[in-house]
Amino acid sequence: MIRLGYPCENLTLGATTNRTLRLAHLTEERVREKVAENLRDLERILGFNAAHGFALFRLGQHLIPFASHPLFPYDWEGAHKEEFARLGALAKRLGQRLSMHPGPYVNPGSRDPKVVERSLAELRYSARVLALLRAEEGVLVLHLGGAYGDKPGALGRFVENLRGEGEVLRYLALENDERLWPVEEVLEAAEALGVRVVVDALHHALNPGRLSLAEAFRLAFSTWRGRPKVHLSSQDPVKRPGAHAFRVAREDWERLLAALPGPADVMLEAKGKEGAFSPQNGFLGVGLSGEARGRGSAG
């Protein structure tokens, strides 16, 4: 049993949950306009996903642009609370699991206290979004960030700076990356914080550490009480290592299936979003069920 999803926008609909603006234009009127557009498109995407067999969706980090910034101009939680509750109820009714994934600028293990402060603010914002949506299965995915030439020190700061963040930890799941932190080291931080681990198959291929993909999945799955979540993409052949291709290659899909120890939710991180699988290659296309046909389509 595999459920599929994709991040931030839907190319078929021309819809996105990630509209933003420049900091210099950060006025209440402009922000409210972007938020209204993002939430409108979120509703459209949720409906599309339910109709086309997708069960996961990652919200754009700019759902509320600059929400964690000190200059944010209004009480976004109070202003959008009712709309968030309505959309969260819709997501639940349509069987949609929601997540967020702050970018590399969020680094709680930084040596710079200002970076840590900004990182925690962004994580608190992300957790508040999931809480306001009442996303019981919500996941807040985060990389470990920089190592600064001292992995034990960076890991220690990361864990220490997150220990007291109850709402963040409720949703948090840590992810391996393609350069610095393999799954085995991510597991150390996750165990110290009591949170889950998301295995990214492409990152693991580039930075496997001492674990096979099957071993990485097995260890990561033991950190989950609900359905484990994993990431899948293929390498873009003309870009830097770790850059995502437009579609998922057949061999990467089959490698994932062979390594998974049980049911999972798979976030497709291909640039093609809901079109990440190519119908010409026998994979899922729009209109096919992610759960019912996900395994069979790979033959």
Side-chain angles (χ1 to χ4, degrees):
M1 296 286 285
I2 293 178
R3 301 189 305 185
L4 300 177
Y6 58 95
C8 301
E9 61 182 313
N10 181 296
L11 302 182
T12 302
L13 297 176
T16 180
T17 60
N18 216 22
R19 293 179 183 85
T20 189
L21 68 165
R22 294 181 180 179
L23 183 59
H25 299 157
L26 193 66
T27 65
E28 180 171 348
E29 180 181 5
R30 286 175 180 257
V31 174
R32 283 181 177 268
E33 177 183 333
K34 297 298 182 185
V35 173
E37 292 172 343
N38 285 338
L39 296 182
R40 177 203 67 204
D41 276 4
L42 173 57
E43 183 166 7
R44 295 172 63 208
I45 290 169
L46 292 175
F48 176 98
N49 287 354
H52 294 88
F54 294 102
L56 322 177
F57 185 68
R58 179 187 300 162
L59 305 166
Q61 199 61 27
H62 298 300
L63 189 70
I64 311 290
F66 291 100
S68 67
H69 197 280
L71 296 180
F72 192 82
Y74 67 96
D75 173 16
W76 68 267
E77 292 186 46
H80 305 298
K81 183 177 181 179
E82 292 185 4
E83 183 68 356
F84 270 67
R86 185 183 71 81
L87 289 171
L90 175 64
K92 184 175 183 179
R93 187 165 68 250
L94 295 177
Q96 300 294 299
R97 187 180 195 179
L98 302 176
S99 64
M100 296 191 78
H101 191 353
Y105 55 89
V106 175
N107 190 356
S110 173
R111 289 172 170 166
D112 186 339
K114 292 183 179 179
V115 173
V116 173
E117 181 181 356
R118 291 195 297 268
S119 298
L120 293 178
E122 186 71 7
L123 290 169
R124 291 165 187 154
Y125 147 67
S126 305
R128 286 307 300 151
V129 167
L130 294 173
L132 290 170
L133 288 165
R134 300 170 189 170
E136 296 172 2
E137 287 189 300
V139 184
L140 173 52
V141 182
L142 183 65
H143 291 290
L144 293 189
Y148 310 99
D150 175 18
K151 276 192 169 183
L155 190 65
R157 287 191 302 274
F158 184 94
V159 170
E160 186 60 31
N161 290 333
L162 283 169
R163 279 195 192 280
E165 298 293 327
E167 188 165 61
V168 171
L169 295 176
R170 173 187 173 192
Y171 296 105
L172 190 63
L174 304 181
E175 179 188 351
N176 58 311
D177 65 47
E178 73 273 23
R179 293 187 307 110
L180 293 174
W181 301 101
V183 172
E184 63 205 69
E185 294 177 337
V186 173
L187 282 160
E188 292 182 36
E191 182 179 0
L193 290 168
V195 300
R196 296 81 55 85
V197 172
V198 167
V199 174
D200 184 298
L202 175 59
H203 293 166
H204 180 79
L206 295 168
N207 183 24
R210 295 173 295 181
L211 302 175
S212 69
L213 183 59
E215 290 169 333
F217 280 141
R218 179 177 57 79
L219 292 170
F221 278 31
S222 70
T223 67
W224 292 82
R225 286 188 289 272
R227 284 180 68 97
K229 189 171 179 287
V230 305
H231 290 175
L232 176 65
S233 60
S234 294
Q235 173 66 44
D236 188 307
V238 299
K239 294 185 179 179
R240 61 163 180 83
H244 298 166
F246 190 81
R247 297 193 189 278
V248 172
R250 172 184 287 274
E251 56 267 27
D252 293 324
W253 173 245
E254 292 179 343
R255 188 178 301 114
L256 179 89
L257 293 181
L260 286 175
D265 285 350
V266 180
M267 179 64 69
L268 304 170
E269 293 193 315
K271 297 296 185 182
K273 308 298 181 182
E274 77 283 357
F277 283 123
S278 168
Q280 288 77 18
N281 289 336
F283 288 131
L284 288 172
V286 169
L288 297 179
S289 164
E291 187 163 3
R293 306 183 191 180
R295 285 186 178 270
S297 62

